[in-house]
Amino acid sequence: MNHDIKMIADTAKDFAEKNIRPHIMDWDESQTFPVELFHKLGEMGFMGIVIPEKYGGSGLGYHEYVAILDEISQVDPSIGLSLAAHNSLCTNHIYEFGNEEQRKKWLPKLASGQVIGAWGLTEHNTGSDSGGMSTTAVREGNDWIINGAKNFITHAISGDIAVVMTRTAEKGAKNNSTAFVLEKGMPGFTSGKKENKLGMRASETAELIFDQVRVPDSHRLGEVGEGFKQAMKILDGGRISIAALSLGIARGAYKAALKYAQERHQFGKSISSFQAINFMLADMATEIDAAELLIQRASTLKNAKEKMTKEGAMAKLYASEACVRIANNAVQIFGGYGYTKDFPAEKYYRDSKLCTIGEGTSEIQRLVIGRAITQ
């Protein structure tokens, strides 16, 4: 890690220790989404990490982005998840596919943390099959009328701006999707049920509902019919996000398990000296390094604006699966204490599972990798 990235990582670590650690279990138990914290993250420059400075962002690259997410997620993965969704999905989609006027209108507010972003692709009946979405946008003069619903949307209730993928042609037709920016307060644009989740409980997940929402054509991102293609490109970068989140969870669980194993004594010596535990820790450390190297490779390609679909999918697949294994082993090392909420292992364990599901399941990542290596 170079000096500048280490300095940024240390800043993120200090922020997390001071502003996040004292509240972890309160937020988790009550499923509180701490909106004020995200305004503070904006003041730190963490809400528009890869957005150029001319739009109010920090103008950093993906290595810095990964370092920030890693440090925040080591402390509380659910805050890391929300930070990732805001940065790489909503904000990045407007930056990548918005015109100059749209960038100037929305990016400074998002990058400063003044407003919180959401991104809507998934629906009740379309998870991995996102091309078959039911939410429609029908043109009416210079406006579009949007109807439908999205679910499992991060910041659906507290978000101020949402990038939403809609269907603008028949199901199954080629290029049948178009992306729009919606603002809270538009008549008919509301939120639905908040999900009561296994983990990531301080990251808000709920429905977005569209009932005859009238959206001006100036809110359309890119050309009509390009929405799904845009979403797939955004998810390429999003895979780095979830991989970095996974890395943070893995590292947090590993550090907690290592510390506990060195302090816990049985049969007159620390349990870290027992081969069964020692080998577990060795595997954990190795998998963390392997995940980090895959993420660095994908980040280097992303910074260079080179194709990284396969490499991003590999990083996301490996890091997410490894973080589940590492969190599982951390619970095992803590023994009975690992099963209680007084120790950190159980929360890493609950939070880790989302990483193999969100922004493309492990199965979809294997599909992407498989296609890339056989075509």
Side-chain angles (χ1 to χ4, degrees), residues 6 16-17 41 47 52 80 107 118 147 158 163 192 195 219 232 244 253 260 263 265 324 331 343 356 366 370 374:
K6 187 176 187 320
E17 290 296 335
L41 283 162
M47 294 289 270
L107 290 179
N147 282 288
S158 301
V163 174
E195 302 295 343
H219 283 227
M232 293 305 102
Y260 180 80
E263 291 170 356
H265 282 69
V324 173
V331 172
F343 288 79
T356 67
R366 289 186 173 98
T374 55

Side-chain angles (χ1 to χ4, degrees), residues 122-235:
T122 302
E123 297 183 357
H124 294 271
N125 293 316
T126 58
S128 298
D129 178 22
S130 48
M133 67 183 85
S134 299
T135 297
T136 57
V138 177
R139 188 142 199 175
E140 196 175 276
N142 205 35
D143 295 337
W144 294 80
I145 308 300
I146 298 179
N147 282 288
K150 301 285 179 181
N151 80 326
F152 296 137
I153 306 304
T154 307
H155 313 145
I157 297 166
S158 301
D160 308 278
I161 292 171
V163 174
V164 176
M165 267 51 68
T166 67
R167 190 161 51 76
T168 45
E170 292 305 307
K171 275 188 186 178
K174 214 174 177 188
N175 304 329
N176 70 347
S177 171
T178 306
F180 294 90
V181 178
L182 274 68
E183 295 172 325
K184 278 294 167 77
M186 286 179 162
F189 180 33
T190 55
S191 306
K193 180 173 78 82
K194 183 174 176 175
E195 302 295 343
N196 186 6
K197 307 195 301 277
L198 169 72
M200 301 291 195
R201 289 168 62 83
S203 179
E204 176 187 281
T205 308
E207 290 175 305
L208 287 176
I209 298 167
F210 320 103
D211 181 11
Q212 293 291 110
V213 184
R214 184 174 287 275
V215 181
D217 190 55
S218 60
H219 283 227
R220 171 171 51 82
L221 293 171
E223 298 302 316
V224 172
E226 286 185 350
F228 186 69
K229 281 185 194 164
Q230 291 176 11
M232 293 305 102
K233 284 179 184 166
I234 290 302
L235 286 172

